Amino acid sequence: MRHVILASHHRFAEGLRDTLDFLGNKQPLEVVCAYVDSTPLDKQVREIFSAIAPEDEVLILTDILQGSVNQAFAPFIGPHVFLVAGINVPTALELCLSPEELSIQGIEDVLEMGRRSMQLVNTFAPAVDEDDE
């Protein structure tokens, strides 16, 4: 079974879930919005992992590399637990929609696609196909 956890400072993860669902995601998503109430972050993380079987796949998508939210999940990284920081909508959607088993190479390929999707539009020159109208 695959678990996807969206985690962020404040409510970014909640908004990301809403956006992913709007765009067609069908994968159940667990959301952690850190620092919105008095619940300690480490308690939230431990509760989530207490309900996950050791053999299950876990994909954790966080907002900021080396931020406190990302660091709270880092101790859980393992053979079936993948932690991705700096998430954006295209990358999250691609990872959530992928039916393939999670792997480091597969995730790296998606991350590269996500990096290419970020462009300064002021200087972006799309390839033009002469056959397009």
Side-chain angles (χ1 to χ4, degrees):
M1 175 177 206
R2 178 178 297 167
H3 303 269
V4 178
I5 303 166
L6 307 177
S8 69
H9 296 81
H10 208 253
R11 301 197 188 281
F12 173 74
E14 196 173 81
L16 181 58
R17 175 181 54 193
D18 184 57
T19 299
L20 294 174
D21 289 347
F22 174 77
L23 294 174
N25 173 61
K26 301 297 183 219
Q27 172 75 37
L29 304 170
E30 181 81 32
V31 171
V32 175
C33 295
Y35 313 117
V36 297
D37 60 26
S38 61
T39 308
L41 177 57
D42 61 331
K43 180 180 182 202
Q44 293 177 62
V45 173
R46 282 193 315 273
E47 285 177 3
I48 289 171
F49 276 93
S50 71
I52 296 175
E55 67 275 2
D56 286 355
E57 285 186 326
V58 182
L59 176 63
I60 308 156
L61 308 176
T62 67
D63 55 355
I64 301 172
L65 177 64
Q66 298 182 346
S68 57
V69 175
N70 191 265
Q71 290 179 28
F73 284 94
F76 295 90
I77 293 172
H80 303 288
V81 179
F82 302 89
L83 177 58
V84 177
I87 199 64
N88 61 28
V89 173
T91 303
L93 188 61
E94 185 75 23
L95 289 169
C96 288
L97 294 178
S98 175
E100 298 173 12
E101 185 174 315
L102 294 174
S103 69
I104 289 175
Q105 186 59 54
I107 293 170
E108 285 287 356
D109 291 346
V110 172
L111 292 178
E112 184 54 36
M113 180 273 313
R115 288 180 192 105
R116 287 191 314 265
S117 74
M118 293 186 288
Q119 298 288 327
L120 174 60
V121 178
N122 299 46
T123 60
F124 179 68
V128 177
D129 185 344
E130 297 299 321
D131 294 331
D132 286 347
E133 293 181 26

